[in-house]
Amino acid sequence: MSSYQGLEVIIDWLEFTVLDTTLKDVIDKFLNIPFAHFSPLAKGRFGYHNQLKWKGGHVYIMFTAIGEEISENTRIKQETGIHVMITGQGCRQYSSELSLETLLRRLSALPRVNFSRIDLAIDDYESKILNYDTNP
């Protein structure tokens, strides 16, 4: 969360796809969560064949594995990369332990990352943008 002139801004949804990387790097280096804290789901999403869900909250990792076994060393289909979705609730869960700003900095330094969705929530506690007490 960041504050600026009475406004508080938080990341409320984050989705990105990383190409030219490994499942292990996305989980360990970028998300900074141990692989053991993820569970495989029965099916993928968004055209990906495989999906993992963080046991600590609503963070999903989608990819297409080469082979049947899913582990942190699973080879993935490089053409489609690895897609990560952190929902609104997931952003708050992730932020309670880790920093979304640090995650964004790590990802921004990568040569092949696509941010497909970044939602921001702005709280205006001092009515700097909208004043609901004022009658038109």
Side-chain angles (χ1 to χ4, degrees):
M1 175 174 33
S2 297
S3 293
Y4 177 75
Q5 296 184 355
L7 302 173
E8 288 186 2
V9 180
I10 62 168
I11 298 169
D12 195 43
W13 192 287
L14 179 63
E15 284 190 58
F16 58 90
T17 304
V18 184
L19 300 170
D20 299 333
T21 192
T22 65
L23 188 58
K24 181 175 178 54
D25 280 351
V26 168
I27 292 172
D28 290 345
K29 288 184 182 177
F30 308 135
L31 291 172
N32 202 25
I33 301 172
F35 182 81
H37 292 200
F38 285 88
S39 298
L41 297 181
K43 59 183 179 177
R45 188 187 311 194
F46 305 144
Y48 295 93
H49 297 173
N50 307 94
Q51 184 173 195
L52 301 173
K53 182 182 183 296
W54 181 36
K55 295 174 186 175
H58 295 269
V59 176
Y60 302 88
I61 301 173
M62 290 149 264
F63 56 95
T64 298
I66 298 172
E68 296 296 318
E69 185 179 328
I70 304 299
S71 73
E72 64 185 344
N73 297 314
T74 294
R75 291 185 326 123
I76 59 141
K77 188 175 175 184
Q78 290 296 314
E79 302 85 58
T80 55
I82 299 169
H83 185 77
V84 177
M85 179 175 69
I86 306 175
T87 68
Q89 187 176 5
C91 284
R92 285 176 287 292
Q93 293 160 333
Y94 185 89
S95 292
S96 71
E97 299 179 31
L98 301 158
S99 168
L100 283 167
E101 290 84 4
T102 300
L103 172 60
L104 285 173
R105 280 191 208 98
R106 283 187 198 124
L107 293 169
S108 296
L110 296 175
R112 307 256 342 248
V113 63
N114 176 43
F115 293 96
S116 50
R117 183 172 174 183
I118 302 175
D119 293 2
L120 300 177
I122 301 173
D123 290 318
D124 182 11
Y125 295 114
E126 298 176 14
S127 298
K128 296 218 179 232
I129 297 174
L130 292 174
N131 186 346
Y132 292 104
D133 295 333
T134 306
N135 293 325

